[in-house]
Amino acid sequence: MPETKVVLTEKDLPTHWYNIQADLPFPLPPVIHPGTKQPIGPQDLAPLFPMELIKQEVTQDRWVEIPEPVRDLYRLWRPSPLYRAHRLEQALQTPARIYYKWEGVSPAGSHKPNTAVAQAFYCRQEGASRITTETGAGQWGSALAFACNAFGLESKVYMVKVSYEQKPYRRIMMETWGGKVVPSPSPETRAGRAILAKDPESPGSLGIAISEAVEEAAIRQDTKYSLGSVLNHVLMHQTVIGLEAKRQFEMLGEYPDVLVGCVGGGSSFAGFTFPFIQDKLSGKAEALRVVAVEPTACPSLTKGKYLYDFGDTAGTTPLIKMYTLGHSFIPAPIHAGGLRYHGMAPLVCALYDHKIIEAVAVHQNPIFEAAVQFARCEGIIPAPEPAHAIRVVVKEALRCRQRGEAKTIAFVLCGHGHFDLGSYQRYLAGQLEDYELPQSAIDQALSLVPKVT
Ligand SMILES: *Cc1c(COP(=O)(O)O)cnc(C)c1O
C-alpha cells in the first residue's frame, strides 16, 4: 500500500504566513463605520486590538513573518500530518485519491490555536495582560485559553449561558488552562445587566457574549479583545495549514484537483485553500476547483446576499461587505452541526463573488452519515463541521467512480468530534431532522440590514 500519512519535520514549519490580499486581482471592499459610513481607520480599532494585528488586517505584503515564540508554540503539534484516506477510498470503490489535512492534533483539538497563539503573542508584546472573547460551544474559547496560558495572559471567556450549562466539558478545559469562564449574559457588564434586567432567564446568544467581551476590552486599559474567525488576519494565521499541505503534496509528487472545506466564518477553509488559490490566481493551477461547504440551516454563501452588514447580532461592530443572511438571523435550534454564523469572512466572500471558489449547502443527516462512514473507515471521529466537507468529498469521489476519473481530492479535517458526541447520539438514535432555512426568513432578516451606498 502506498503511504498513509505524509509527515513533515519541525524544520519544515513555515516561517511566514501567506497573505492572499497581495495577489487578489480586485480590491477588497473597505470596512465601514456604521455612524459616519466612512472606511474605518486604525484608531477606531486600537482600543480593542493590538496594533500589529490591525496592520496585518490591511497589509498588502504577500508574506508576514511568524514570530519565533509563535513558531515555538506551533511545534507542540505542527507540522500536522496529511493523511491518505485509503480505507474510505476502498469503501467507496473510487479511483479518486482522497487526502485530508488533520488539524485535530492541536491541544484544543482544532485548527483554532493556529491564530489564538499568534493573537495572544501580539497582545502580550504590546503590553496587555488580559484578553476577553466570546465562545458558543467552547471551541474558540478553549483555543484562546490554551494560548493565553502559554504566554502568561489572563483569558476571560464569555460563554453563551445555555452552552455553559449544557456543555460543561469545554468549559472545564478552559478552566484547566487557567481561563476565567463566565456565563453570558452576566452581571459583569452593562450589556449583560441590561439583558438580565429584561429577562433574568435569558439563555444568552453569541451576539450578547460579543457585546460583553467587547465592552470589557474597550473599558480596560490592560485588556484586548480577540476573534477566532472572519477577520483577514485570522485567515492569514491559518495559512500554515495550506502551506504545509502544499509541501506535503510536493513530497508526494502530486497536486490536488479539488479542495474542500467547511465554512462557518471561513478561517479553516481559507487557511487550507488560500496557498493553493495563489497558484490558481497566478495561472499555475487554473483547473483547481475549490469548494466551500455550509449547512442548509445557515446558507450564508449559497442563499445570502453580498451586502454591508454588521459582524455581530447586536449590531455594534463596523459594517463588513459579506454574503449575509442578515445579522438578526437566528439559527434553528434543531441544527446540530455548528457553522452558525450569519455572515462569512470578507476574503472568502470576495473570492466567491468573483467565481474563484464554489459553494454548496448540505443537510445534516447526510453530514452525519458521512461522518460515521469516515469514522468507521479512518478511525477518527470528526467534528460535525468538517463532516460537511466529508459529505462533499464522498460525493466527488463517487462521481469519479461513475466517470472513471482518478482525481486527487483533499480536504481539511479541522477538528475532532470528542465533545460533539451528543449530536452523534441524536443522529444514531434517528432524532436529527433535516432543515432548510426558508426564503421568507432570509428576506425578513435581510430587510433589517443597514443601507450603505
Ligand atoms: C470553529 C470551527 C469551525 C468554524 O470556523 P471556521 O472559521 O469556518 O473554520 C469549523 N470547524 C471546527 C472544528 C471549528 O472549531
Side-chain angles (χ1 to χ4, degrees), residues 261-278:
C262 67
V263 284
S267 71
S268 54
F269 170 81
F272 178 55
T273 63
F274 282 8
F276 293 93
I277 292 177
Q278 181 187 22

Side-chain angles (χ1 to χ4, degrees), residues 110-112 139 229 262-268 339 383 385-386 414-415:
S110 77
H111 65 288
K112 288 200 171 77
Q139 286 165 324
S229 187
C262 67
V263 284
S267 71
S268 54
L339 308 173
E385 292 92 344
C414 49

Side-chain angles (χ1 to χ4, degrees), residues 105-429:
V105 289
S106 82
S110 77
H111 65 288
K112 288 200 171 77
N114 295 332
T115 183
V117 162
Q119 294 190 47
F121 169 78
Y122 291 120
C123 287
R124 174 79 214 222
Q125 194 184 40
E126 295 185 27
S129 57
R130 307 172 70 245
I131 301 182
T132 60
T133 197
E134 70 283 342
T135 199
Q139 286 165 324
W140 169 241
S142 56
L144 192 74
F146 156 72
C148 282
N149 173 65
F151 285 113
L153 292 155
E154 182 184 320
S155 57
K156 170 94 167 271
V157 182
Y158 288 92
M159 185 171 189
V160 176
K161 196 196 276 166
V162 55
S163 301
Y164 182 95
E165 285 163 359
Q166 292 177 4
K167 300 186 173 171
Y169 293 117
R170 283 216 177 256
R171 165 168 64 78
I172 297 163
M173 246 175 133
M174 292 184 251
E175 290 169 348
T176 302
W177 279 314
K180 289 210 164 63
V181 190
V182 179
S184 166
S186 80
E188 301 199 15
T189 64
R190 232 171 224 282
R193 287 190 295 271
I195 303 278
L196 289 173
K198 270 192 257 167
D199 178 9
E201 302 304 315
S202 165
S205 72
L206 219 41
I208 298 169
I210 292 175
S211 305
E212 291 203 89
V214 167
E215 180 185 319
E216 184 175 334
I219 292 173
R220 285 186 61 154
Q221 280 290 332
D222 60 351
T223 304
K224 293 292 177 194
Y225 168 68
S226 168
L227 262 175
S229 187
V230 180
L231 299 181
N232 301 339
H233 67 263
V234 176
L235 273 55
M236 185 181 75
H237 298 155
Q238 294 295 352
T239 59
V240 287
I241 303 172
L243 292 167
E244 288 175 7
K246 265 177 98 165
R247 290 262 299 252
Q248 287 161 315
F249 275 110
E250 264 168 42
M251 286 168 68
L252 287 166
E254 276 188 66
Y255 196 91
D257 297 298
V258 188
L259 297 178
V260 186
C262 67
V263 284
S267 71
S268 54
F269 170 81
F272 178 55
T273 63
F274 282 8
F276 293 93
I277 292 177
Q278 181 187 22
D279 295 343
K280 193 171 164 72
L281 292 170
S282 72
K284 266 200 273 178
E286 270 173 36
L288 175 69
R289 286 181 53 217
V290 182
V291 186
V293 191
E294 58 187 12
T296 50
C298 187
S300 321
L301 288 174
T302 53
K303 289 209 173 159
K305 286 237 154 59
Y306 195 34
L307 297 171
Y308 272 100
D309 195 6
F310 292 108
D312 67 327
T313 319
T316 54
T317 68
L319 297 170
I320 311 166
K321 183 137 188 213
M322 57 183 176
Y323 281 85
T324 178
L325 297 168
H327 62 278
S328 59
F329 162 78
I330 297 166
I334 59 160
H335 174 60
L339 308 173
R340 290 178 174 84
Y341 186 54
H342 67 272
M344 185 60 61
L347 280 168
V348 172
C349 292
L351 291 167
Y352 182 61
D353 189 53
H354 285 80
K355 305 199 160 42
I356 293 161
I357 63 169
E358 304 164 31
V360 294
V362 288
H363 279 289
Q364 59 180 351
N365 275 304
I367 289 162
F368 277 92
E369 187 190 338
V372 169
Q373 181 172 34
F374 185 85
R376 290 179 185 175
C377 290
E378 298 297 315
I380 294 168
I381 298 178
E385 292 92 344
H388 288 68
I390 298 172
R391 167 67 183 170
V392 169
V393 166
V394 166
K395 229 171 152 174
E396 290 285 336
L398 291 175
R399 184 147 58 183
C400 285
R401 177 170 83 183
Q402 242 174 21
R403 298 182 179 174
E405 289 174 335
K407 291 206 166 148
T408 297
I409 305 169
F411 70 100
V412 53
L413 185 54
C414 49
H416 65 62
H418 298 178
F419 296 99
D420 305 287
L421 295 177
S423 297
Y424 275 88
Q425 182 180 31
R426 281 160 66 198
Y427 168 72
L428 292 170

Side-chain angles (χ1 to χ4, degrees), residues 54-107:
I54 295 172
K55 280 191 207 148
Q56 288 183 5
E57 193 61 15
V58 293
T59 181
Q60 299 297 308
D61 294 346
R62 181 168 293 113
W63 299 102
V64 172
E65 191 169 2
I66 307 174
E68 209 48 49
V70 173
R71 294 182 79 231
D72 280 343
L73 214 50
Y74 278 172
R75 284 174 216 278
L76 287 179
W77 73 97
R78 307 211 70 85
S80 70
L82 179 80
Y83 276 80
R84 171 104 181 254
H86 286 296
R87 288 172 181 79
L88 182 63
E89 289 171 18
Q90 279 160 13
L92 299 172
Q93 298 192 349
T94 177
R97 305 157 76 88
I98 301 174
Y99 291 94
Y100 56 96
K101 179 73 168 158
W102 177 217
E103 290 295 309
V105 289
S106 82

